[in-house]
Amino acid sequence: MVESEQGAIRNVTFLCTNATGVYIGTNTGDAYILDNKRMKFKPIFSKVGCDIVDMALLDSVLYVLSECGGLLALNVTGHKEIKQYDFFYPEGDTRVSARSLFVDKFKHVWITGQRGIYSLDPFTDKYTHYQYDKTDTYGMPSSSMWKISEDYQGNLWFGTNPVLNK
């Protein structure tokens, strides 16, 4: 069982690791880091009621993707909020149908969800939104993107319903 200083941690949705730590997120909006001395997780972030759907590390930044909190960038050393990104919220909507987070070899942050794919350059804060266009025969088959990964040649793969795209 995974435990924090306050007891058992339930509803773990994501695990993220690097040389500095092991991070976990829950579907109740809590994020933790493993305290190696005590071998227990300590809280670093909480947004009550927000499902943490994915986490990714880029250098000294931990990106936390949640349904109602959008994309949050935290400093790895002090776990202080660096920036909150909300560019993928539709106007007037407070929940993000985000599914997956990925950092590519060029250090771009990719977000997949029900409204397509977003690519964020965290150094300039500029982003690009890709979505389904029925007139583009070579484009995305759907705006509902569920997962993203990169292969050994640097190609990005997107999992969607009903197919896998490259």
Side-chain angles (χ1 to χ4, degrees):
M1 179 182 308
V2 178
E3 291 191 357
S4 74
E5 295 165 349
Q6 291 80 28
I9 299 174
R10 304 198 187 284
N11 306 312
V12 173
T13 53
F14 270 91
L15 171 72
C16 185
T17 63
N18 74 352
T20 62
V22 176
Y23 299 86
I24 58 173
T26 70
N27 69 0
T28 56
D30 299 312
Y32 300 84
I33 184 171
L34 180 63
D35 180 338
N36 289 318
K37 290 179 185 169
R38 294 190 177 131
M39 290 309 294
K40 293 197 183 240
F41 283 89
K42 63 182 183 180
I44 58 168
F45 167 79
S46 183
K47 185 144 179 123
V48 176
C50 281
D51 184 0
I52 294 178
V53 296
D54 209 348
M55 301 168 87
L57 287 156
L58 172 61
D59 299 330
S60 63
V61 178
L62 174 68
Y63 289 95
V64 179
L65 181 63
S66 69
E67 284 188 349
C68 65
L71 181 64
L72 179 67
L74 297 172
N75 182 295
V76 171
T77 54
H79 305 110
K80 302 286 185 219
E81 182 177 326
I82 298 170
K83 181 148 187 162
Q84 175 84 31
Y85 296 94
D86 60 0
F87 54 78
F88 45 90
Y89 279 110
E91 196 170 315
D93 200 351
T94 59
R95 295 199 67 82
V96 176
S97 56
R99 298 284 178 232
S100 181
L101 186 61
F102 180 76
V103 178
D104 70 14
K105 66 181 179 183
F106 300 109
K107 298 188 177 188
H108 289 137
V109 178
W110 293 81
I111 302 158
T112 63
Q114 297 284 6
R115 295 181 182 100
I117 303 165
Y118 296 85
S119 175
L120 169 69
D121 180 338
F123 304 103
T124 65
D125 282 343
K126 292 187 180 181
Y127 70 92
T128 304
H129 181 209
Y130 303 95
Q131 58 187 347
Y132 172 71
D133 178 356
K134 65 182 175 183
T135 63
D136 184 357
T137 57
Y138 298 103
M140 296 168 35
S142 165
S143 280
S144 180
M145 294 291 170
W146 287 77
K147 195 68 180 159
I148 180 172
S149 189
E150 186 175 21
D151 67 20
Y152 69 97
Q153 293 177 324
N155 297 307
L156 295 179
W157 291 82
F158 298 93
T160 183
N161 188 8
V163 298
L164 180 66
N165 279 14
K166 176 178 160 188

